[in-house]
Amino acid sequence: MTEMGLESRELPVVTCAGTPEERGVQHGEALRDQIAQGLAAWSEAIGKLHGIEPDAYIRQFVQGTDFLGSIRQWTPDLEAEMAGIARGANQPWEWIYAYNLLDEEWTWARQAAAPGRGCTAVGLTPAGSAPLLGQTMDIPRVHDGTQAVLRLADDTGLEVTVFTYAGMVGLTGCNAAGVALVVNNLDMLPGSLTGLPVSCVIRGVLRRDTLEAATGFVLQVPHATGQHYGIAAPDGVASVEGWANGVATGTDASALLHTNHPLYTDEPVGDVEARYQR
């Protein structure tokens, strides 16, 4: 039997406190080298995949979408935090902003026919125990080597820990109240050019201190990208799919199992299975 190769590495852990911009500056300064590494790799990938000069591509993406309205309405602190990251990392704001729109850029560039993303999420509530929640984070290799953990303290007083890549406000995480979140991309569901980006939904969820409040936030906001949000708290688990035209929830309050296919709605765009063929 052939052994699977596994690599273990120690992730940088950055504590960020103060105003939103101060948190971003601390993030950007502490991870400046990793942010530069990730942006360079992403820039190279953009040129190869889209056949366009990377600065022009980013400019078209930023100017061709309008997520800032939703960010300012639902998670206004994150606009300032992204600006702080750009300042601390000494990088252009447009690039850092676009770098935080991981799923939205995938959806916007759907015509490039990039391979489907394959995250898997699972949540269980064992008898007599607190819920367990986990996922695989299967994102492009351009981010490998830039993974980091952020420990955040904001104006709510609720400590938040997120796993992310350097320069992004969050990929997944948990908070001191025991609320945790995992996600799965569902880009076969309709997207929007004006909804709330996934990274901002993640951080918005992690500002809530109960399962009900966290789930309610996902049900309330307009979604920029088709996405599954698996949420756990001491009192159970919840499973929500959000997309441009609506939201839908799972019915099992004790467990969830979700991949990159919608389970609660039937509004796919295009050939769903073709995205995952190799």
Side-chain angles (χ1 to χ4, degrees):
M1 181 174 67
T2 303
E3 291 188 6
M4 180 180 295
L6 297 175
E7 179 185 352
S8 176
R9 72 178 63 150
E10 188 172 323
L11 300 182
V13 179
V14 180
T15 299
C16 305
T19 67
E21 185 167 3
E22 288 170 343
R23 294 196 304 267
V25 169
Q26 293 159 16
H27 174 172
E29 289 180 343
L31 298 174
R32 184 176 293 169
D33 291 345
Q34 293 92 329
I35 292 172
Q37 173 189 333
L39 289 177
W42 190 38
S43 177
E44 182 179 356
I46 287 171
K48 289 180 178 178
L49 180 61
H50 301 290
I52 185 174
E53 197 274 325
D55 281 326
Y57 179 84
I58 293 300
R59 186 165 52 253
Q60 290 175 15
F61 173 50
V62 171
Q63 295 179 358
T65 56
D66 185 18
F67 305 119
L68 283 175
S70 289
I71 292 173
R72 289 166 180 164
Q73 178 179 355
W74 297 99
T75 55
D77 56 317
L78 294 181
E79 181 184 8
E81 190 168 319
M82 291 176 198
I85 294 170
R87 177 182 161 197
N90 195 26
Q91 295 288 345
W93 173 85
E94 275 194 338
W95 274 85
I96 292 297
Y97 170 66
Y99 207 45
N100 276 270
L101 304 175
L102 178 73
D103 294 85
E104 289 68 39
E105 190 272 326
W106 292 345
T107 300
W108 188 76
R110 184 183 283 134
Q111 67 272 16
R117 275 69 193 181
C119 299
T120 299
V122 61
L124 301 170
T125 307
S129 177
L132 302 174
L133 189 67
Q135 77 166 102
T136 61
M137 183 58 70
D138 300 320
I139 59 176
R141 289 184 178 272
V142 296
H143 305 295
D144 194 25
T146 72
Q147 297 95 328
V149 174
L150 304 178
R151 289 180 176 164
L152 303 154
D154 62 24
D155 57 356
T156 67
L158 187 64
E159 294 183 358
V160 173
T161 299
V162 298
F163 169 73
T164 192
Y165 56 74
M168 189 184 194
V169 297
L171 285 167
T172 185
C174 59
N175 66 33
V179 174
L181 177 71
V182 295
V183 293
N184 304 89
N185 179 267
L186 300 175
D187 77 346
M188 68 287 295
L189 294 179
S192 165
L193 300 179
T194 62
L196 190 64
V198 172
S199 64
C200 298
V201 178
I202 290 169
R203 287 287 299 275
V205 166
L206 295 176
R207 285 175 61 92
R208 272 67 188 175
D209 60 2
T210 66
L211 181 64
E212 181 180 8
T215 304
F217 180 77
V218 180
L219 293 172
Q220 186 179 19
V221 300
H223 292 275
T225 305
Q227 194 81 186
H228 167 252
Y229 297 91
I231 307 169
D235 53 336
V237 298
S239 185
V240 184
E241 294 172 356
W243 65 101
N245 304 330
V247 291
T249 62
T251 57
D252 189 342
S254 63
L256 69 89
L257 179 61
H258 210 295
T259 59
N260 297 90
H261 293 71
L263 298 178
Y264 319 131
T265 183
D266 188 23
E267 293 192 26
V269 174
D271 186 343
V272 173
E273 296 303 324
R275 287 170 164 76
Y276 301 97
Q277 292 174 357
R278 294 292 187 267

